[in-house]
């Protein structure tokens, strides 16, 4: 695969050859989703994701203002992959094709250096879910955290900046 991605989904460029397997799961928490996948496919790289969960959730809460106590369901897709190529991308917070305001970065140089990182996080335009995308070498996860009430930050960012006061 080579080319430039849909700019509504961020500014990305990629050239890569990839073989991957995806595992979808859902549960009441991110840990439950990853544990469900691990029960199906015993992959040591999933242990690294599970160990990174506390820091990951801290970053998500800080970026979005989400309170994890209001998360009622988590849907996730875990990808285990191998490949060669180069990717680069930036996600600047505009609404993407699935309705999320994603911010983050993507970059990889596979095969020679085995370096890969994708970190994206965003709130859905209705404020009722948060999406987190995290990819490292050989494994990645795309999560949607559904909330029992809208985030206040989601409504304030969609209104734009406050109007300037008139003299």
């Amino acid at each position: 695969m080579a080319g430039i991605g849909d700019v509504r989904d961020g500014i990305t460029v990629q050239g890569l050859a990839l073989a991957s397997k995806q595992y979808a799961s859902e549960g009441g928490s991110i840990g439950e989703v990853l544990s469900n996948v691990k029960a199906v496919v015993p992959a040591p790289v999933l242990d690294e994701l599970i160990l990174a969960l506390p820091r990951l959730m801290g970053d998500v809460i800080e970026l979005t203002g989400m309170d994890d106590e209001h998360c009622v369901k988590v849907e996730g897709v875990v990808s285990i992959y191998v490949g060669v190529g180069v990717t680069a991308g930036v996600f600047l917070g505009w609404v993407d094709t699935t309705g999320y305001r994603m911010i983050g970065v993507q970059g990889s140089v596979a095969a020679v250096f085995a370096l890969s990182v994708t970190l994206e996080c965003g709130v859905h335009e209705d404020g009722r879910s948060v999406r987190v995308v995290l990819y490292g070498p050989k494994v990645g996860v795309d999560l949607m955290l559904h909330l029992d009430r809208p985030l206040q930050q989601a409504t304030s960012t969609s209104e734009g900046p406050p109007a300037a006061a008139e003299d």
Side-chain angles (χ1 to χ4, degrees), residues 72-143:
V72 293
K73 181 172 95 171
V74 178
E75 295 176 291
V77 176
V78 174
S79 300
I80 299 174
Y81 62 92
V82 63
V84 296
V86 177
T87 66
V90 63
F91 309 91
L92 300 173
W94 54 73
V95 178
D96 68 11
T97 55
T98 60
Y100 288 88
R101 294 182 176 278
M102 301 298 284
I103 58 170
V105 294
Q106 168 187 332
S108 70
V109 179
V112 177
F113 299 109
L115 300 173
S116 177
V117 66
T118 296
L119 301 168
E120 298 175 56
C121 182
V123 176
H124 194 272
E125 59 190 341
D126 68 7
R128 297 192 67 90
S129 63
V130 173
R131 183 174 179 200
V132 179
V133 179
L134 174 65
Y135 274 76
K138 301 179 188 169
V139 66
V141 62
D142 188 341
L143 301 164

Side-chain angles (χ1 to χ4, degrees), residues 15-116:
L16 57 114
L18 185 70
S20 69
K21 178 72 176 167
Q22 281 89 26
Y23 301 91
S25 179
E26 62 180 59
S29 69
I30 296 173
E32 192 175 316
V33 167
L34 294 177
S35 294
N36 290 345
V37 170
K38 189 174 177 183
V40 173
V41 62
V45 292
L46 290 177
D47 292 333
E48 296 171 23
L49 273 178
I50 292 169
L51 290 173
L53 280 179
R55 196 182 92 219
L56 171 65
M57 283 311 298
D59 292 344
V60 168
I61 290 168
E62 184 178 324
L63 283 170
T64 64
M66 181 190 92
D67 182 348
D68 61 343
E69 293 178 16
H70 296 287
C71 183
V72 293
K73 181 172 95 171
V74 178
E75 295 176 291
V77 176
V78 174
S79 300
I80 299 174
Y81 62 92
V82 63
V84 296
V86 177
T87 66
V90 63
F91 309 91
L92 300 173
W94 54 73
V95 178
D96 68 11
T97 55
T98 60
Y100 288 88
R101 294 182 176 278
M102 301 298 284
I103 58 170
V105 294
Q106 168 187 332
S108 70
V109 179
V112 177
F113 299 109
L115 300 173
S116 177

